[in-house]
Amino acid sequence: RRELFAKFFALAPAGQDFFKQSTTRLHFIADKFVPMTLDMYRDPKRMVQDLSALGLRHVGYGVPTDLCGPFVTACVQVIRSLTEDDTAEE
């Protein structure tokens, strides 16, 4: 859980200005990204809709879109650290 935000804040320090929630809320957010990653393969059509809605909500919150790339990069780095299987990325 902590790894996600530690990596994200290292990649995009400005992101700290938009994640001022409690640790409990940050853990809730971090706990969502692994199941969402799996759902991208299980139900890609639904996930496109869900992620589009999530993106629109964040635009409404005034979160700069240039923070999306570093957040995704941090998520990918954390997922990669969960396995030693080189074929998992394929």
Side-chain angles (χ1 to χ4, degrees):
R1 292 176 176 177
R2 288 183 246 260
E3 268 187 73
L4 172 61
F5 290 102
K7 288 180 184 296
F8 173 60
F9 296 147
L11 292 168
Q16 294 179 64
D17 295 336
F18 296 94
F19 283 100
K20 295 184 178 182
Q21 294 92 347
S22 68
T23 302
T24 302
R25 181 67 180 163
L26 293 178
H27 286 177
F28 172 80
I29 293 167
D31 288 345
K32 290 288 188 182
F33 86 90
V34 172
M36 289 178 77
T37 300
L38 295 173
D39 286 346
M40 286 293 290
Y41 295 97
R42 292 180 184 148
D43 192 355
K45 289 181 182 179
R46 182 182 57 82
M47 284 309 299
V48 167
Q49 293 173 346
D50 290 353
L51 289 172
S52 293
L54 180 65
L56 288 173
R57 268 198 317 272
H58 283 75
V59 167
Y61 299 150
V63 177
T65 56
D66 60 335
L67 293 177
C68 294
F71 187 79
V72 171
T73 299
C75 290
V76 169
Q77 289 175 355
V78 170
I79 291 288
R80 282 183 180 154
S81 73
L82 297 176
T83 183
E84 293 178 10
D85 183 359
D86 292 335
T87 62
E89 290 182 40
E90 298 172 10

